[in-house]
Amino acid sequence: MSEAPVVVPAETLSLSAEWVEAAEQAALNLGQGKSLAELCPEHWQLVLASVTDRMRVRGASLPRGWRLALSRQVGRRDSEDPTEARVLAIHAKREEIAAHVARDLGLGALAGLSPEERAAVDQQTAETIEGCDPALPEPADCSDADRTMRRLLSEHHALSELRADEANELLAERGEVFAPEDDA
């Protein structure tokens, strides 16, 4: 008998109602009043991160293709490529931050900006995201940012962290991750 694991294709994977309930609770905790199918990509990625944690705490194994299966079960029409979905989510969150920066600078909506104004907004957005990254050895004090900006930056950081975590998982699956003591 073969020792190769049996992989159930995502198209036929059906998750129990517990998975959908975990996703609904996560969306509720994130303050989303929309159905799971209507969540924007970045909020959906945050819901998926929460479902991962919730199901692991419950002792459930995370079957291959569960994200896509859950997405389909709740009626989402997201990209089938999770990497593409994360990139789109991070880009959308960055645009939300840029829109907030433009308003703070008194420039109005992003769509009406001149190329020079948009370049200034993009520069300020990059500096804000990078400067307020809690992973920096000495992050900037972003306490003067308004509540909305702090939330946006937190969500951007969570999405970026999720992307890095999943990249590390992929490397671990390939056997390309080494212990920190191996770096010496």
Side-chain angles (χ1 to χ4, degrees), residues 25-182:
Q25 187 62 48
L28 184 65
N29 289 347
L30 290 168
Q32 300 300 314
K34 301 175 182 178
S35 74
L36 295 172
E38 296 173 344
L39 291 177
C40 63
E42 63 267 20
H43 290 156
W44 177 244
Q45 292 299 315
L46 294 172
V47 166
L48 290 175
S50 180
V51 169
T52 300
D53 294 340
R54 289 168 188 268
M55 297 312 289
R56 283 184 176 153
V57 165
R58 294 177 186 177
S61 64
L62 303 175
R64 189 173 179 168
W66 73 266
R67 288 178 183 87
L68 181 58
L70 181 60
S71 182
R72 288 179 178 162
Q73 280 181 235
V74 300
R76 293 189 60 81
R77 301 286 179 239
D78 291 336
S79 168
E80 293 193 17
D81 179 3
T83 303
E84 180 183 347
R86 280 188 300 283
V87 168
L88 292 173
I90 290 172
H91 177 73
K93 186 56 63 183
R94 187 180 189 90
E95 283 298 294
E96 278 188 77
I97 294 169
H100 197 76
V101 166
R103 282 192 299 276
D104 283 353
L105 295 174
L107 298 174
L110 290 177
L113 299 180
S114 70
E116 296 81 22
E117 291 171 328
R118 180 58 199 235
V121 167
D122 288 342
Q123 178 66 32
Q124 183 64 41
T125 299
E127 289 173 7
T128 301
I129 290 170
E130 292 166 17
C132 292
D133 184 352
L136 289 175
E138 294 182 32
D141 178 17
C142 297
S143 60
D144 62 336
D146 68 21
R147 187 177 193 182
T148 302
M149 181 59 86
R150 286 193 308 268
R151 177 185 56 80
L152 292 171
L153 289 168
S154 173
E155 290 172 353
H156 185 276
H157 176 70
L159 287 167
S160 298
E161 200 171 74
L162 174 66
R163 185 175 179 194
D165 288 347
E166 289 184 353
N168 288 340
E169 284 180 22
L170 179 63
L171 289 173
E173 286 175 7
R174 294 180 184 165
E176 297 177 18
V177 174
F178 304 97
E181 57 270 9
D182 293 342

